[in-house]
Amino acid sequence: MTTAYAPGSLVSARGREWVVLPESAADMLVLRPLGGSDDDVAALFPAFEPVEAASFAPPDATDLGDSRAAGLLRSALRIGFRSGAGPFRSLGGIAVQPRAYQLVPLLMALRQQTVRMLISDDVGIGKTVEAGLIAAELLAQGEASGLAVLCSPALAEQWQEELRTKFGIDAELVLSSTVSRLERGLDLGQSLFDRHKHVIISTDFIKSTRHRDDFVRHCPDLVIVDEAHTCVSSDEARTNQNQLRYELLQKVAADEDRHLLLVTATPHSGKESAFRNLLGLVNPELATADFDTRVGRELLARHFVQRKRADVRQYLTREGDGLVDDSLAEKTAFPSDRAFKDEKYKLSPAYRSLLDDAIAYAGERVEHAGTLGDREYRVAWWSAIAMLRSLVSSPRAAAKTLTTRSATAAAKTAKEADELGAPLVRDSADADALEGMDTAPGADVRPDGSPAAKLKELAARAAALEGTDQDAKLKALVKHLKGLLADGYNPIVFCHYIDTAEYVASYLSGEFEEEGRSGRNLLNKGGKGGWKTTVKAVTGSLSPQQRVQRIEELAEETAAEAARLAEGGQGAAARRVLIATDCLSEGVNLQHYFDAVVHYDLAWNPTRHDQREGRVDRYGQQRDEVRVITLYGDDNGIDGKVLEVLLRKYRQIRKDLGIAVSVPDEMSSGVTDAIVEWVLLRSRQGEQEALFGTDEVSVKGDALEAEWKSAADREKLSRSKYAQRSIHPEEVAREVAAVREVLGGTGEVRAFAEESLRALGALLRPLGEGGSPGGGGADGFTADVSGTPAGLRDALAPVIGPAAVEDGKPFPFRDTAAVARGEAALVRTDPAVGALASHVLDTALDEAVAGPRPARRCGVVRTRAVETRTTMLLVRYRFHLTLPSRHGTRQLVAEDARLVAFQGAPERAVWVDPQQALTLLEARADANTDPGYGERTMAKTLDGLAHTADHLAAYGRELADGLADSHRRVRGASGDIRRGLRVKAQEPADILGVYVYMPAPTDSTATATPAGGNA
């Protein structure tokens, strides 16, 4: 027995009408309420509940709307589509509106039978969204049945949140902290990866042989690898950790039918062999292909996409991309630049004395250790670097290091000492993980672990230097933070060590404990134009989830204070400052909360600075200019040279090329080693004799600069050679136009939101420049919805919060898809916009609803926009898609809303071009329409609608053919799939709206005011 109701058909049950979904079976119907969302889907058993076929009722001739009614109803319908009739099956159902350039990797992927791609767009362009789009589409098509994301444990929860909230993919976290709980729920002999269809896995956890083999045996058919560059290395610099990750990916990639997406902003890292190893995972031929040949470049172009911001800042334009016009042009609001300032400070006399004594002690110990053997020398060397780095960081970090045993003291050999010491004191761009790297390293190397008397004495002196009286670095930070706060910035301060971050946060916030003194917030400013600053610290001592929670708490505290002031409350403006370690320098996006970066501690690898700045300098940052302040000690012997030889040259190359260029770690560490050697030599032999040490710094600095320039030249060449040319902008424009034709664009959504909210009684105010209330409204608007109907308030409360609904708190709607928590984006996928559209659609379909109803299903308008009677129909089409895939044939339903129009009476209809029908949405009433005349005209039109059925059916078949063509067009890889694809229109189509436009007298001077059926 088969179900009596085809997918897409209408049925009546439980007192309402439903759409039958493809998941239905012979004895069970899966239904979505008419006008409802996927959240309202229900299952019903016809054997136990009455179900009847239903037809869509015609409009009521007495329920006439004004001239806006058709446009609002159409927009509400399109916004609600979750399976739009465009070329992609997933875009209607995801909660993110991708930028046009983000569709390029998706189009590339759909042209491959098995998707293998390396996505290497610049930091902040949106690689996570690009990978998510591909995953959502492959799952929606049935080309993939499960998903695994391999990433750092620190980023696992962020990936889980992104997939769930933006793409509707619920994935289980598989981490060292969760695996025991998950394994307890397994059946006998069942694999964790069979039980959970979608998983997010810690790469470091799964790479061990104990877990790796089970994962490879049961690995899903779609794998995304985040920060993929950490899983490979150059042939000459491979570490054990890299090797284990690389072996894991080799096993995953060995299945030729498995989809594999590698994601990284730094595929080269200055090492060609590492880049080739990455490409070899995607396609073994790429590991040895000659990219100087056309064949090699074409092969690479099918699998590799790499763009910098300048490539996509202006996209689909006539001038830049050769399109006919700018109708589809997109401007992506990346910050235009970073404003760098290097601010120096000088040590206080007491701190200078401490540093000199510590350097002298370290130098003597290194020199003595050199006479004992290689192992002893390397242990002393790493201990000396740990001591120096902590001393220039903060007094608290120095005291901690001086009283902690060095990890290298347990080393048995010089090589082992290097393996233990290097990760703790060097800022490698290829570090296995940032977790645990912000703990202050130890400096004591005594076998029993008890600090030497000299170290105890130095530690006590360091502890006594806390506070702005003796710590000139902290004092300088307060000065420069006040400058940023005065200009309205909310900065994030990056420190190297947990102890330093906690020390800085405690003094800035006034929470430090000191005998005889009560702390005060050092950043607050009273009086007119002053501000109140909230300071929080986020370090590796918190779990990844706790870090995100603390950042959100900080943002919510200051947002609540700002809202209170906006409503007329008394007090100072709210500012926020975050003190963080490098546990936040990768992965966590901070652009919604912060707009300036202060490097309190210099990293010894410039890439780390770029990672820090990239957390705020990315898409969604509302500031056009991100400020960056780098604090450095003018007289500590280390900072100035690191700044001169490493950081400034890195910035200049980045500015010249437009992207960051890495060099091998051994080059930058060679420079910093030379600087440390010079500092220690100066302490033992004096300033004059140590001049010979500066020669070594200069030589290694020059070698580094030469390698940098060479890497920059190679990068320029590769950017040109590997430029994304497999997808032409015209192809992207065609698919963007197809998507917008079905789902609408940003301009339509804003117009709908503004008109609907005003009609429903909301109070709207424009957002001015920079997103503040007032001004021209270019960035969006705020809405007070407390006066809107109860039904809308109930729908909005879970989305925007009860305070905004009941208390009249202005809620921001912004003209960007990248918004902060507590704001709505003016895109169709935003929950607040969706709730508004659902309310407008529901009230249009239900004439019994009390209160304002902005959209109506019919109207009669007298306008000069037409010269003869013209009737416009809003028609909803449903299409049955038979979509073959590697996992079998899928039956899907797609929806489309179209405007068609005819001149004259329905029985003698002269059909006009669909594009001409669209222009009627702009028609406005130029004369009043008598209510009685309007109702009679509408009743007569509705009586004749049966004569339009043949035309509507033919148009539906035409749309079905176009939908099939669009699917074949973007799925160019498999002839079998193209041949097996079928699209059929469900008949009859639903006529949702009927609007009659009558010519208005050209000499009419009457004022057109809405009344009954008037427009």
Side-chain angles (χ1 to χ4, degrees), residues 528-558:
K528 186 177 180 180
W531 58 82
K532 179 182 178 182
T533 308
T534 303
V535 181
K536 298 279 186 183
V538 172
T539 69
S541 63
L542 302 175
S543 70
Q545 185 177 19
Q546 290 173 322
R547 297 168 201 170
V548 174
Q549 182 179 357
R550 182 163 294 186
I551 293 168
E552 291 179 349
E553 288 173 355
L554 173 59
E556 288 169 2
E557 285 182 28
T558 52

Short mmCIF file of all heavy atoms in Angstrom, two decimals, residues 528-558:
data_model
loop_
_atom_site.label_atom_id
_atom_site.label_comp_id
_atom_site.label_asym_id
_atom_site.label_seq_id
_atom_site.Cartn_x
_atom_site.Cartn_y
_atom_site.Cartn_z
N LYS A 528 31.53 64.73 32.89
CA LYS A 528 30.86 64.78 31.58
C LYS A 528 31.77 64.15 30.52
O LYS A 528 32.95 64.45 30.43
CB LYS A 528 30.53 66.22 31.22
CG LYS A 528 29.70 66.34 29.95
CD LYS A 528 29.33 67.80 29.69
CE LYS A 528 28.50 67.91 28.43
NZ LYS A 528 28.12 69.33 28.15
N GLY A 529 31.19 63.31 29.71
CA GLY A 529 31.97 62.63 28.68
C GLY A 529 32.80 61.49 29.22
O GLY A 529 33.65 60.95 28.49
N GLY A 530 32.60 61.10 30.48
CA GLY A 530 33.37 60.01 31.06
C GLY A 530 32.81 58.66 30.71
O GLY A 530 31.85 58.53 29.94
N TRP A 531 33.40 57.63 31.30
CA TRP A 531 32.95 56.28 30.99
C TRP A 531 33.25 55.35 32.16
O TRP A 531 34.08 55.65 33.02
CB TRP A 531 33.63 55.74 29.73
CG TRP A 531 35.14 55.72 29.82
CD1 TRP A 531 35.92 54.77 30.42
CD2 TRP A 531 36.04 56.72 29.34
NE1 TRP A 531 37.24 55.11 30.33
CE2 TRP A 531 37.35 56.29 29.66
CE3 TRP A 531 35.87 57.92 28.63
CZ2 TRP A 531 38.47 57.04 29.32
CZ3 TRP A 531 36.98 58.65 28.29
CH2 TRP A 531 38.27 58.21 28.63
N LYS A 532 32.53 54.26 32.18
CA LYS A 532 32.73 53.22 33.17
C LYS A 532 33.20 51.98 32.44
O LYS A 532 32.58 51.55 31.47
CB LYS A 532 31.43 52.93 33.92
CG LYS A 532 31.54 51.82 34.96
CD LYS A 532 30.19 51.56 35.61
CE LYS A 532 30.29 50.41 36.62
NZ LYS A 532 28.96 50.12 37.23
N THR A 533 34.31 51.40 32.90
CA THR A 533 34.94 50.30 32.17
C THR A 533 34.81 48.99 32.92
O THR A 533 35.11 48.92 34.12
CB THR A 533 36.44 50.60 31.95
OG1 THR A 533 36.57 51.89 31.36
CG2 THR A 533 37.06 49.54 31.03
N THR A 534 34.36 47.97 32.20
CA THR A 534 34.33 46.61 32.74
C THR A 534 35.53 45.84 32.19
O THR A 534 35.76 45.84 30.98
CB THR A 534 33.03 45.89 32.35
OG1 THR A 534 31.91 46.66 32.80
CG2 THR A 534 32.97 44.51 32.97
N VAL A 535 36.30 45.22 33.08
CA VAL A 535 37.51 44.50 32.71
C VAL A 535 37.36 43.04 33.08
O VAL A 535 36.96 42.71 34.19
CB VAL A 535 38.75 45.09 33.41
CG1 VAL A 535 40.01 44.33 32.98
CG2 VAL A 535 38.89 46.58 33.12
N LYS A 536 37.66 42.15 32.13
CA LYS A 536 37.64 40.71 32.39
C LYS A 536 38.90 40.09 31.80
O LYS A 536 39.49 40.61 30.85
CB LYS A 536 36.43 40.05 31.73
CG LYS A 536 35.07 40.53 32.22
CD LYS A 536 34.68 39.86 33.51
CE LYS A 536 33.25 40.24 33.91
NZ LYS A 536 32.85 39.65 35.20
N ALA A 537 39.30 38.94 32.36
CA ALA A 537 40.45 38.21 31.86
C ALA A 537 40.01 36.84 31.35
O ALA A 537 39.18 36.18 31.97
CB ALA A 537 41.51 38.04 32.95
N VAL A 538 40.56 36.44 30.22
CA VAL A 538 40.30 35.12 29.66
C VAL A 538 41.65 34.48 29.34
O VAL A 538 42.43 35.02 28.55
CB VAL A 538 39.45 35.20 28.38
CG1 VAL A 538 39.38 33.83 27.71
CG2 VAL A 538 38.06 35.69 28.70
N THR A 539 41.92 33.34 29.99
CA THR A 539 43.22 32.68 29.83
C THR A 539 43.02 31.18 29.65
O THR A 539 41.89 30.67 29.71
CB THR A 539 44.12 32.91 31.06
OG1 THR A 539 43.56 32.20 32.18
CG2 THR A 539 44.21 34.40 31.40
N GLY A 540 44.12 30.48 29.46
CA GLY A 540 44.07 29.04 29.32
C GLY A 540 43.67 28.31 30.58
O GLY A 540 43.47 27.09 30.55
N SER A 541 43.51 29.02 31.69
CA SER A 541 43.03 28.38 32.91
C SER A 541 41.54 28.07 32.83
O SER A 541 41.01 27.33 33.65
CB SER A 541 43.31 29.26 34.13
OG SER A 541 42.61 30.49 34.02
N LEU A 542 40.86 28.65 31.85
CA LEU A 542 39.44 28.39 31.63
C LEU A 542 39.28 27.38 30.50
O LEU A 542 40.10 27.32 29.58
CB LEU A 542 38.71 29.69 31.26
CG LEU A 542 38.77 30.85 32.25
CD1 LEU A 542 38.10 32.07 31.66
CD2 LEU A 542 38.11 30.47 33.57
N SER A 543 38.20 26.63 30.53
CA SER A 543 37.89 25.73 29.42
C SER A 543 37.43 26.57 28.24
O SER A 543 37.02 27.73 28.40
CB SER A 543 36.78 24.76 29.82
OG SER A 543 35.54 25.46 29.94
N PRO A 544 37.49 26.03 27.02
CA PRO A 544 37.02 26.79 25.85
C PRO A 544 35.60 27.33 26.02
O PRO A 544 35.30 28.45 25.62
CB PRO A 544 37.11 25.77 24.71
CG PRO A 544 38.24 24.87 25.11
CD PRO A 544 38.11 24.75 26.61
N GLN A 545 34.71 26.53 26.60
CA GLN A 545 33.34 26.98 26.80
C GLN A 545 33.29 28.13 27.80
O GLN A 545 32.53 29.10 27.61
CB GLN A 545 32.47 25.82 27.28
CG GLN A 545 30.98 26.17 27.40
CD GLN A 545 30.16 24.97 27.82
OE1 GLN A 545 30.67 24.00 28.36
NE2 GLN A 545 28.86 25.02 27.55
N GLN A 546 34.07 28.04 28.86
CA GLN A 546 34.10 29.12 29.86
C GLN A 546 34.66 30.41 29.28
O GLN A 546 34.23 31.50 29.66
CB GLN A 546 34.93 28.68 31.07
CG GLN A 546 34.28 27.59 31.91
CD GLN A 546 35.21 27.06 32.99
OE1 GLN A 546 36.42 26.90 32.76
NE2 GLN A 546 34.66 26.77 34.15
N ARG A 547 35.60 30.28 28.35
CA ARG A 547 36.16 31.48 27.71
C ARG A 547 35.09 32.24 26.95
O ARG A 547 34.94 33.46 27.09
CB ARG A 547 37.31 31.10 26.78
CG ARG A 547 38.49 30.45 27.47
CD ARG A 547 39.46 29.84 26.46
NE ARG A 547 40.30 28.82 27.09
CZ ARG A 547 41.09 28.00 26.44
NH1 ARG A 547 41.17 28.06 25.12
NH2 ARG A 547 41.82 27.10 27.08
N VAL A 548 34.36 31.50 26.11
CA VAL A 548 33.29 32.14 25.33
C VAL A 548 32.23 32.73 26.26
O VAL A 548 31.74 33.85 26.04
CB VAL A 548 32.65 31.11 24.37
CG1 VAL A 548 31.44 31.71 23.66
CG2 VAL A 548 33.68 30.64 23.35
N GLN A 549 31.90 32.01 27.33
CA GLN A 549 30.90 32.48 28.27
C GLN A 549 31.35 33.79 28.94
O GLN A 549 30.56 34.72 29.09
CB GLN A 549 30.64 31.42 29.34
CG GLN A 549 29.57 31.80 30.35
CD GLN A 549 29.34 30.69 31.37
OE1 GLN A 549 29.93 29.63 31.29
NE2 GLN A 549 28.48 30.95 32.33
N ARG A 550 32.63 33.87 29.30
CA ARG A 550 33.10 35.09 29.96
C ARG A 550 33.09 36.27 29.01
O ARG A 550 32.76 37.39 29.39
CB ARG A 550 34.51 34.88 30.53
CG ARG A 550 35.04 36.09 31.26
CD ARG A 550 36.23 35.76 32.15
NE ARG A 550 35.88 34.89 33.26
CZ ARG A 550 36.73 34.55 34.23
NH1 ARG A 550 37.97 35.01 34.22
NH2 ARG A 550 36.35 33.76 35.20
N ILE A 551 33.45 36.04 27.75
CA ILE A 551 33.41 37.12 26.75
C ILE A 551 31.98 37.62 26.58
O ILE A 551 31.73 38.84 26.51
CB ILE A 551 33.98 36.63 25.41
CG1 ILE A 551 35.49 36.34 25.56
CG2 ILE A 551 33.76 37.65 24.31
CD1 ILE A 551 36.07 35.58 24.39
N GLU A 552 31.03 36.69 26.50
CA GLU A 552 29.63 37.08 26.33
C GLU A 552 29.12 37.82 27.57
O GLU A 552 28.33 38.77 27.44
CB GLU A 552 28.79 35.85 26.04
CG GLU A 552 29.07 35.26 24.65
CD GLU A 552 28.26 34.02 24.37
OE1 GLU A 552 27.63 33.49 25.32
OE2 GLU A 552 28.25 33.57 23.20
N GLU A 553 29.55 37.39 28.75
CA GLU A 553 29.16 38.10 29.97
C GLU A 553 29.66 39.53 29.94
O GLU A 553 28.94 40.47 30.32
CB GLU A 553 29.70 37.36 31.19
CG GLU A 553 29.01 36.05 31.50
CD GLU A 553 29.70 35.29 32.62
OE1 GLU A 553 30.78 35.75 33.08
OE2 GLU A 553 29.18 34.23 33.03
N LEU A 554 30.91 39.70 29.51
CA LEU A 554 31.48 41.04 29.42
C LEU A 554 30.68 41.90 28.44
O LEU A 554 30.36 43.05 28.72
CB LEU A 554 32.95 40.94 28.98
CG LEU A 554 33.68 42.25 28.67
CD1 LEU A 554 33.69 43.17 29.89
CD2 LEU A 554 35.11 41.95 28.23
N ALA A 555 30.35 41.33 27.28
CA ALA A 555 29.59 42.07 26.28
C ALA A 555 28.20 42.41 26.78
O ALA A 555 27.69 43.52 26.57
CB ALA A 555 29.51 41.27 24.98
N GLU A 556 27.56 41.45 27.46
CA GLU A 556 26.20 41.68 27.95
C GLU A 556 26.17 42.73 29.04
O GLU A 556 25.24 43.55 29.10
CB GLU A 556 25.61 40.36 28.46
CG GLU A 556 25.27 39.39 27.33
CD GLU A 556 24.94 38.00 27.84
OE1 GLU A 556 24.96 37.82 29.08
OE2 GLU A 556 24.67 37.11 27.01
N GLU A 557 27.16 42.74 29.91
CA GLU A 557 27.21 43.74 30.98
C GLU A 557 27.29 45.15 30.40
O GLU A 557 26.54 46.04 30.81
CB GLU A 557 28.42 43.48 31.89
CG GLU A 557 28.24 42.31 32.83
CD GLU A 557 29.45 42.13 33.73
OE1 GLU A 557 30.14 43.14 34.02
OE2 GLU A 557 29.72 40.99 34.14
N THR A 558 28.20 45.35 29.44
CA THR A 558 28.34 46.69 28.88
C THR A 558 27.16 47.05 27.98
O THR A 558 26.75 48.21 27.92
CB THR A 558 29.65 46.78 28.07
OG1 THR A 558 29.72 45.70 27.14
CG2 THR A 558 30.85 46.70 28.99
#
